[in-house]
Amino acid sequence: MRPAEELRYLILAAQREGNRLLGQALRPLGITPSQAEVIRVLQQHGPLTLNGLGELLVCESGNSPSRLVDRLVTLGLVRRDVAANDRRHIDLSLTEEGSARVRQITEIEERLYESIDAAAEGRELGEILAFLRAFVGGLPAGQAVARRTHR
Amino acid sequence: MRPAEELRYLILAAQREGNRLLGQALRPLGITPSQAEVIRVLQQHGPLTLNGLGELLVCESGNSPSRLVDRLVTLGLVRRDVAANDRRHIDLSLTEEGSARVRQITEIEERLYESIDAAAEGRELGEILAFLRAFVGGLPAGQAVARRTHR
DNA sequence: TGGCAATAGATTACACGACATATATGTCAT
DNA sequence: ATGACATATATGTCGTGTAATCTATTGCCA
């Protein structure tokens, strides 16, 4: 199997297993990995419109995350208000309850990053980051990562 | 943003964008990336039982791919026969029509691998492969990759 | 000002992806 | 031989992912 093919499947495998681990860790909080990403982005960059949120999400990049936000509103974690000046826009922000989960989410993510660092033990992550940035640069999901890292 | 966090999101971004590109390229064939993986695995390793197939798939690793196979049977690309000796098993194999698509799938995958190689230009893929193998080794999706590469 | 294009979101449709549970078949101990 | 257990697959449910289409609102210009 050529390296590019193995790499393709290893990236798929890493994404799936990482998401599965994160999902299991988040389950006691009653939220999914995608929902946790929204909460973190709103905490760090909010308030945002739906489009603004979409440009910062890696999951759902290129799509409008209205369904994802719907569930968070239903869960009482996100507030969705129609913008006063332009009624086509909505203003998204965390509710009290949403803010209250940020700490737990951060701790769970921290454990994921520790397991990533463990697998990287003695390796140069810079090379890997550079390759992946080159592959996704210019594409929506890659731009979302760039927007999140550059500030 | 710490490197492990950026890496996490870059892996997610790479998987999403790769899958989106592949999906668009496969669309004229009327199949999805996951379905293409099944067809390739059956071509290279078939005939297989459902469990045997599941152990070789990176998508749907850990799950039983019965619904994925269902759709391929409906499309007329895969044959599903109850095993003669043990009626709990099923024998999965490609139909004529399924075999006929292998060439086109291979060409489309080839173009994806070329774009991966382009992003890797002048970089050492070995480091990246080693890191990802370490991260997913032991987990179902990682074992599926290992089973596919070791032969 | 009246209407048309542009913009922001919402909705629909289909296929996963993950987890839990159910059903059918075979195996084995007694 | 029978009943408990194990195995292989199927099904149900919920939440994404992706693309396409619909609706509401605003801006613009003839």
Side-chain angles (χ1 to χ4, degrees):
Chain A
M1 186 183 272
R2 65 190 276 184
E5 186 175 5
E6 184 180 359
L7 180 55
R8 167 200 165 190
Y9 283 113
L10 282 172
I11 287 173
L12 175 56
Q15 191 275 321
R16 288 284 204 280
E17 296 296 354
N19 216 51
R20 226 155 51 84
L21 291 175
L22 192 56
Q24 288 170 355
L26 287 170
R27 176 179 288 252
L29 303 194
I31 60 175
T32 67
S34 294
Q35 293 169 356
E37 190 182 352
V38 172
I39 291 174
R40 291 282 277 148
V41 167
L42 281 180
Q43 177 232 344
Q44 294 179 335
H45 304 268
L48 289 167
T49 66
L50 196 65
N51 271 349
L53 175 63
E55 284 173 2
L56 294 174
L57 289 177
V58 182
C59 74
E60 300 269 334
S61 49
N63 306 331
S64 160
S66 67
R67 260 189 325 186
L68 188 52
V69 167
D70 259 357
R71 295 203 183 87
L72 287 166
V73 171
T74 301
L75 289 172
L77 304 178
V78 166
R79 184 168 29 242
R80 176 177 44 194
D81 302 307
V82 178
N85 47 334
D86 185 340
R87 297 182 19 182
R88 290 172 299 184
H89 291 77
I90 59 179
D91 279 336
L92 297 170
S93 53
L94 291 182
T95 62
E96 283 296 314
E97 202 178 340
S99 300
R101 312 234 178 159
V102 170
R103 166 185 291 275
Q104 295 164 288
I105 292 171
T106 305
E107 280 169 11
I108 288 168
E109 288 177 333
E110 184 61 28
R111 291 205 290 276
L112 176 64
Y113 301 146
E114 282 164 9
S115 82
I116 289 176
D117 286 332
E121 192 63 29
R123 268 181 258 276
E124 187 47 66
L125 279 193
E127 272 287 311
I128 305 180
L129 295 177
F131 164 76
L132 291 173
R133 284 193 207 106
F135 182 68
V136 301
L139 300 173
Q143 291 176 330
V145 177
R147 289 187 197 102
R148 299 260 296 276
T149 52
H150 294 355
R151 34 161 295 164
Chain B
M1 186 182 273
R2 65 190 273 183
E5 185 174 5
E6 183 179 1
L7 180 55
R8 167 200 167 190
Y9 283 112
L10 282 172
I11 287 173
L12 175 56
Q15 190 275 323
R16 287 285 203 279
E17 296 296 355
N19 216 51
R20 225 153 52 87
L21 292 174
L22 191 57
Q24 288 170 355
L26 287 170
R27 176 179 287 252
L29 303 194
I31 61 175
T32 67
S34 294
Q35 293 169 357
E37 189 181 353
V38 172
I39 290 175
R40 291 281 278 144
V41 166
L42 282 179
Q43 177 232 346
Q44 293 179 336
H45 304 267
L48 289 167
T49 66
L50 196 65
N51 269 350
L53 174 64
E55 285 173 1
L56 294 175
L57 290 177
V58 182
C59 74
E60 300 270 335
S61 49
N63 306 331
S64 179
S66 68
R67 271 181 286 231
L68 189 50
V69 168
D70 262 356
R71 294 196 189 90
L72 288 164
V73 171
T74 301
L75 289 172
L77 304 178
V78 166
R79 184 167 30 242
R80 175 178 42 194
D81 303 306
V82 178
N85 47 334
D86 185 340
R87 296 180 23 182
R88 287 172 303 183
H89 291 77
I90 59 180
D91 280 335
L92 296 170
S93 54
L94 291 181
T95 62
E96 283 296 316
E97 203 178 337
S99 301
R101 312 234 179 159
V102 170
R103 166 185 292 276
Q104 295 165 288
I105 292 171
T106 306
E107 282 169 10
I108 288 169
E109 288 177 333
E110 183 61 30
R111 292 206 289 277
L112 176 63
Y113 301 145
E114 283 164 9
S115 82
I116 289 176
D117 286 332
E121 192 63 30
R123 269 183 259 273
E124 187 48 66
L125 278 193
E127 272 287 312
I128 306 182
L129 295 177
F131 164 74
L132 290 173
R133 284 192 207 108
F135 182 68
V136 300
L139 301 174
Q143 292 175 332
V145 177
R147 290 188 196 101
R148 300 259 298 274
T149 52
H150 294 355
R151 39 154 299 158

